């Protein structure tokens, strides 16, 4: 069984197997003579948390600069690095900034260890800024490279690395590592460890096995997506009514997943369907339909990144903007902390169950959601049946508790 390293800080960092391997890879890169490595994977892979961990460890013995290189001009890029190293300078030219960085790096190499630059989103950098990065990579002293470099991206651009202009990077590249998602079993351990850290003693009561399977299917095993979807589900549970005097076991009984299924199956007026037609999306821009598609799986990622299921290349749309989760004939929208927000029928939302003909707004694009009649009928019938069963159990629990109190009073 895979081991899980759990941090002791307040936000508790859980290192899943691929992150453990990535951490060892980064340590080996920083100890290598070339000292330049490439880490890549989707945003939800937990790369930011991993970077925080490696940066914290390295800072014990060397200076570290963590910089997001996306869409930075050369002077902005170099200024950001110097700021991370503790310098607040008003230099206006690339040459001056490069010279200052070189002086700092040489001093560090001779007194401590070579400083480390962790560059996020390197694959979104301007060509002119990539050229400056190559100049940084060529800085040496006493036949040693003065700056150790870790490049981090959401996908691997072999063509960029192999470009003749990127030769200083290519000749220093000591290795690359691609992040991998959790397995189904690892996802359960990850979610349960998070819940226990939040004070939940029996996480399997909140997320039983079938719910964990659905979480894994919707997230693809990526920890960032697992966190977002699990948080949304917990929020929905917290919004459910709690009866006075009900204890934890009663609440667990009311919301037990297997009992819900049995209660729905006992409802005679549920429509019988041989096939569930997937919801459809109609995407338009300035009133013109640009694309129409059906949901082909349990999760549909919408964003600017090429790794998205629905790619919309627009400046006001984030790389990973929103997620549609289709499960149990229900479509849930999750905004993935996008910069400009996601709107449903002109109202900004963080998460919401969608209805037929709802219109999503992302930047200048509109997405109309069409939920087939068959799917809607099943959804409404199940929700009505489950709600009725919940209310019945709730009233039964209250009545039984009242009877017990009455008996205790008589005795």
């Amino acid at each position: 069984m895979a081991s899980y390293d759990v941090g002791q800080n307040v936000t508790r960092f859980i290192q899943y197997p691929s992150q453990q391997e990535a951490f060892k890879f980064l340590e080996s890169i920083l100890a290598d003579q070339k000292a330049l490595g490439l880490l890549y994977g989707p945003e939800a892979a937990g790369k930011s948390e991993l970077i925080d961990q490696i940066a914290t460890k390295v800072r014990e013995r060397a200076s570290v600069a963590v910089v997001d290189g996306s869409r930075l001009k050369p002077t902005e890029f170099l200024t950001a690095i110097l700021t991370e190293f503790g310098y607040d300078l008003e230099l206006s030219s690339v040459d001056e900034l490069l010279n200052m960085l070189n002086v700092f790096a040489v001093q560090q190499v001779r007194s401590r260890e070579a400083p480390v630059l962790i560059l996020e989103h390197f694959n979104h950098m301007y060509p002119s800024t990539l050229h400056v990065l190559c100049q940084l990579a060529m800085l040496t002293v006493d036949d040693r490279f003065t700056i150790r470099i870790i490049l981090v991206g959401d996908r691997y651009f072999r063509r960029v690395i192999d470009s003749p202009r990127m030769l200083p990077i290519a000749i220093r590249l000591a290795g690359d590592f691609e992040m991998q998602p959790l397995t189904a079993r690892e996802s359960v351990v990850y979610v349960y460890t998070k819940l226990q850290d939040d004070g939940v003693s029996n996480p399997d009561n909140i997320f039983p096995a079938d719910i964990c399977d659905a979480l894994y299917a919707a997230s693809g095993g990526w920890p960032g997506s697992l966190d977002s979807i699990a948080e949304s589900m917990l929020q929905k549970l917290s919004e459910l009514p709690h009866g006075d005097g009900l204890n934890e076991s009663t609440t667990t009984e009311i919301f037990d997943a297997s009992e819900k299924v049995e209660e729905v199956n006992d409802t005679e007026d549920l429509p019988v369907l041989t096939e569930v037609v997937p919801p459809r999306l109609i995407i338009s821009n300035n009133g013109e339909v640009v694309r129409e598609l059906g949901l082909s799986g349990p999760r549909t990622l919408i964003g600017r990144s090429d790794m998205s299921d629905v790619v919309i290349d627009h400046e006001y749309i984030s790389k990973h903007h929103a997620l549609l989760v289709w499960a149990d004939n229900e479509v849930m929208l999750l905004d993935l902390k996008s910069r400009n927000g996601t709107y449903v029928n002109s109202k900004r939302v963080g998460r919401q169950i969608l209805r037929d003909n709802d219109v999503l707004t992302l930047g200048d694009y509109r997405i109309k959601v069409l939920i087939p009649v068959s799917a809607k009928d099943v959804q409404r019938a199940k929700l009505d049946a489950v709600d009725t069963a919940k209310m019945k159990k709730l009233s039964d629990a209250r009545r039984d508790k009242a009877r017990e109190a009455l008996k205790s009073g008589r005795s």
Side-chain angles (χ1 to χ4, degrees):
M1 181 180 294
S3 59
Y4 291 80
D5 297 334
V6 180
Q8 300 301 317
N9 52 17
V10 176
T11 56
R12 188 134 145 172
F13 173 66
I14 302 171
Q15 206 176 73
Y16 73 95
S18 184
Q19 283 179 323
Q20 292 178 340
E21 296 174 13
F23 193 90
K24 294 177 181 177
F25 163 76
L26 294 178
E27 287 188 313
S28 67
I29 289 297
L30 295 178
D32 190 272
Q33 184 176 4
K34 294 181 178 179
L36 191 149
L38 175 59
L39 175 72
Y40 61 103
E43 291 292 330
K47 299 191 300 299
S48 296
E49 293 85 352
L50 179 62
I51 289 169
D52 289 341
Q53 291 292 309
I54 195 71
T56 298
K57 183 173 182 179
V58 174
R59 283 192 178 101
E60 297 174 359
R61 60 183 189 273
S63 298
V64 179
V66 180
V67 175
D68 185 344
S70 58
R71 294 173 174 78
L72 286 182
K73 296 178 180 178
T75 54
E76 295 172 335
F77 172 59
L78 294 173
T79 300
I81 297 175
L82 283 167
T83 301
E84 284 286 303
F85 283 143
Y87 287 86
D88 185 13
L89 303 172
E90 294 184 1
L91 302 176
S92 57
S93 73
V94 170
D95 289 340
E96 289 176 326
L97 291 165
L98 275 172
N99 183 60
M100 184 64 204
L101 262 174
N102 187 41
V103 171
F104 167 77
V106 170
Q107 291 175 342
Q108 292 293 305
V109 169
R110 290 175 173 171
S111 61
R112 303 175 68 193
E113 291 186 12
V116 176
L117 168 62
I118 301 177
L119 183 56
E120 297 184 274
H121 303 116
F122 87 98
N123 48 296
H124 294 290
M125 295 174 66
Y126 291 129
S128 58
T129 310
L130 284 173
H131 176 67
V132 172
L133 173 64
C134 290
Q135 291 179 276
L136 282 178
M138 290 188 292
L139 297 178
T140 59
V141 60
D142 301 331
D143 296 325
R144 288 185 294 170
F145 294 111
T146 58
I147 299 179
R148 294 177 286 177
I149 302 173
I150 296 174
L151 304 177
V152 184
D154 54 17
R155 53 185 174 177
Y156 186 32
F157 283 107
R158 189 73 237 183
R159 290 182 180 178
V160 175
I161 299 297
D162 291 341
S163 169
R165 295 182 179 181
M166 298 294 289
L167 184 61
I169 299 295
I171 62 177
R172 279 192 58 179
L173 187 62
D176 58 82
F177 187 92
E178 180 180 8
M179 303 290 292
Q180 299 296 325
L182 292 87
T183 64
R185 172 58 185 163
E186 291 165 356
S187 295
V188 174
V189 176
Y190 179 85
V191 172
Y192 282 9
T193 304
K194 286 257 184 177
L195 289 173
Q196 288 172 339
D197 188 50
D198 289 336
V200 178
S201 58
N202 297 307
D204 53 325
N205 287 341
I206 297 178
F207 289 148
D210 55 341
I211 299 299
C212 287
D213 289 343
L215 270 174
Y216 175 70
S219 67
W222 294 111
S225 298
L226 271 172
D227 289 341
S228 297
I229 298 172
E231 179 184 351
S232 176
M233 294 178 69
L234 286 172
Q235 180 66 28
K236 289 179 67 177
L237 283 175
S238 68
E239 293 171 355
L240 291 170
H242 297 280
D244 296 335
L246 290 180
N247 55 31
E248 182 179 354
S249 60
T250 306
T251 306
T252 301
E253 180 184 9
I254 292 174
F255 298 113
D256 184 82
S258 60
E259 292 185 4
K260 287 181 187 177
V261 174
E262 183 178 352
E263 290 155 6
V264 172
N265 290 338
D266 288 339
T267 306
E268 296 180 357
D269 59 349
L270 283 177
V272 178
L273 299 175
T274 58
E275 181 181 0
V276 176
V277 181
R280 294 191 64 76
L281 307 178
I282 300 178
I283 306 172
S284 62
N285 179 244
N286 295 324
E288 295 185 6
V289 175
V290 296
R291 188 178 178 188
E292 185 173 345
L293 69 156
L295 300 188
S296 58
R299 63 188 182 97
T300 301
L301 179 62
I302 304 172
R304 197 178 68 246
S305 168
D306 289 342
M307 298 184 68
S308 301
D309 300 301
V310 179
V311 179
I312 304 178
D313 189 7
H314 189 268
E315 59 180 333
Y316 294 125
I317 294 179
S318 301
K319 286 180 297 181
H320 298 138
H321 196 106
L323 181 72
L324 293 178
V325 180
W326 178 38
D328 197 24
N329 297 304
E330 178 178 273
V331 181
M332 175 183 287
L333 167 71
L334 298 173
D335 179 78
L336 302 178
K337 299 181 179 178
S338 61
R339 178 176 299 179
N340 295 296
T342 302
Y343 295 79
V344 176
N345 302 327
S346 301
K347 180 181 178 181
R348 184 165 183 167
V349 299
R351 51 182 170 267
Q352 182 168 314
I353 301 296
L354 299 179
R355 298 180 179 179
D356 185 34
N357 286 316
D358 275 349
V359 177
L360 316 184
T361 302
L362 293 77
D364 292 339
Y365 282 78
R366 306 290 184 269
I367 302 177
K368 189 173 184 178
V369 181
L370 300 179
I371 303 178
V373 175
S374 56
K376 287 189 299 179
D377 287 345
V378 171
Q379 176 181 326
R380 290 197 186 101
K382 286 188 175 183
L383 288 175
D384 291 344
V386 172
D387 287 342
T388 301
K390 287 179 186 175
M391 293 305 297
K392 183 178 178 181
K393 278 184 170 288
L394 187 60
S395 60
D396 289 345
R398 285 174 171 166
R399 184 168 55 251
D400 292 342
K401 195 167 187 67
R403 286 174 179 172
E404 291 177 7
L406 183 59
K407 290 179 180 180
S408 299
R410 287 176 178 174
S411 62

